[in-house]
Amino acid sequence: MIPSLEHHRVRRSVPVCAAAILMMFGSGRATAQMDDAIYNYLRFERFEYEGNGDIHLFKWDIEGWTGSDYNKLWVKSEGDYVFEQDIFGRADLQLLYSRNIATFWDAQIGIRRAFEPERTFDGVIGIQGLAPYFFETEAAMFISENGNVLGRFKLAYELLLTQRLIAQPRIEINVSADDIENRGVKAGITEFEAGLRLRYEIVREFAPYIGFDYVEEQSLREHKHSVRAVAGIRAWF
């Protein structure tokens, strides 16, 4: 009698299962060592010119980390420089401890040093990760020395047009729970950015891009909005 296909599957499964069990127990130490391995990463998410007929800015959004799969030390910096006035409009630096809490999600806690418009320190509590459908998501709450609460939310998505040409819609919202006189901040949405960047990856680690942003800003002194062209590079190491 010719053995059935199912019979062959059962006979083959015995040594396969045994090998899997031996590998599981034998590789436990190796897996733990891999989890504890230290890695480094640095990304220039935005390094760009942004402007129109009235506004000319240099903007940056840089982040990097060192650590293992579960524990990392993050450094983040974001801000802009106004060419006409030769001043920094906004600039800050964050130092964060990050802990992996779920697949693709890290909880973060640390401090932020704001250099402009005022030199202040804030406590930071945040979360960062990859939401369903591959939306890159970042949310942070900042607590000032005086107990004021501010927040920042970022959402981005990458749409592959070809293997090298990628469209990236992006939203960033900054909010404040209170009016803050020394920062010129008004309660509510203080800054809203929505834009699209089209980048070409010369190599995976380096990609120039062009695009546009719609920006709306509100402070205690003024409320303004504009559409701006952008051109820059995105790089990671």
Side-chain angles (χ1 to χ4, degrees):
M1 184 177 75
I2 300 174
S4 67
L5 180 60
E6 186 64 31
H7 177 70
H8 281 290
R9 287 174 178 166
V10 171
R11 292 184 61 190
R12 289 180 60 191
S13 67
V14 174
V16 170
C17 290
I21 292 170
L22 290 173
M23 288 177 64
M24 181 176 64
F25 282 98
S27 64
R29 179 176 296 179
T31 302
Q33 291 175 346
M34 290 177 64
D35 289 342
D36 292 336
I38 302 299
Y39 304 97
N40 301 290
Y41 180 74
L42 177 65
R43 181 172 71 178
F44 292 76
E45 179 62 28
R46 289 194 296 169
F47 203 72
E48 66 189 25
Y49 162 82
E50 178 176 291
N52 54 29
D54 302 317
I55 301 169
H56 301 279
L57 305 172
F58 167 70
K59 280 194 170 184
W60 73 89
D61 186 351
I62 304 170
E63 60 184 28
W65 55 259
T66 183
S68 66
D69 290 339
Y70 293 97
N71 300 284
K72 296 181 178 69
L73 179 66
W74 279 78
V75 177
K76 301 181 182 181
S77 180
E78 185 173 340
D80 57 67
Y81 175 80
V82 185
F83 288 105
E84 293 92 340
Q85 302 176 39
D86 192 25
I87 61 171
F88 288 94
R90 176 165 62 92
D92 63 43
L93 178 68
Q94 297 181 51
L95 183 63
L96 308 169
Y97 165 70
S98 181
R99 171 70 180 177
N100 180 252
I101 56 172
T103 305
F104 304 126
W105 288 99
D106 284 2
Q108 299 176 335
I109 188 169
I111 59 172
R112 176 176 75 159
R113 172 62 164 170
F115 297 100
E116 296 292 345
E118 292 291 330
R119 294 181 180 271
T120 58
F121 281 101
D122 301 323
V124 183
I125 301 173
I127 189 167
Q128 182 169 348
L130 198 62
Y133 303 103
F134 303 102
F135 283 93
E136 294 182 24
T137 307
E138 182 178 343
M141 180 175 67
F142 308 106
I143 305 171
S144 75
E145 298 164 301
N146 299 320
N148 302 116
V149 177
L150 303 98
R152 179 179 293 167
F153 176 76
K154 299 180 186 179
L155 190 68
Y157 182 78
E158 294 190 348
L159 179 63
L160 273 67
L161 305 178
T162 70
Q163 289 298 313
R164 293 182 181 269
L165 190 63
I166 299 167
Q168 184 187 47
R170 178 184 181 279
I171 293 174
E172 179 174 337
I173 302 171
N174 286 274
V175 299
S176 175
D178 310 289
D179 292 348
I180 307 176
E181 288 286 346
N182 64 329
R183 301 191 188 190
V185 170
K186 187 175 182 179
I189 296 177
T190 60
E191 186 175 12
F192 172 82
E193 290 186 15
L196 177 70
R197 285 158 178 76
L198 184 67
R199 73 174 185 265
Y200 182 80
E201 293 186 342
I202 298 173
V203 293
R204 290 284 295 173
E205 298 85 357
F206 183 84
Y209 62 80
I210 57 173
F212 71 91
D213 267 343
Y214 169 77
V215 182
E216 188 165 354
E217 299 169 298
Q218 181 166 276
S219 68
L220 291 172
R221 293 179 290 274
E222 60 184 345
H223 177 204
K224 56 185 179 182
H225 58 87
S226 60
V227 176
R228 308 167 185 176
V230 300
I233 59 169
R234 182 180 188 268
W236 58 270
F237 308 95

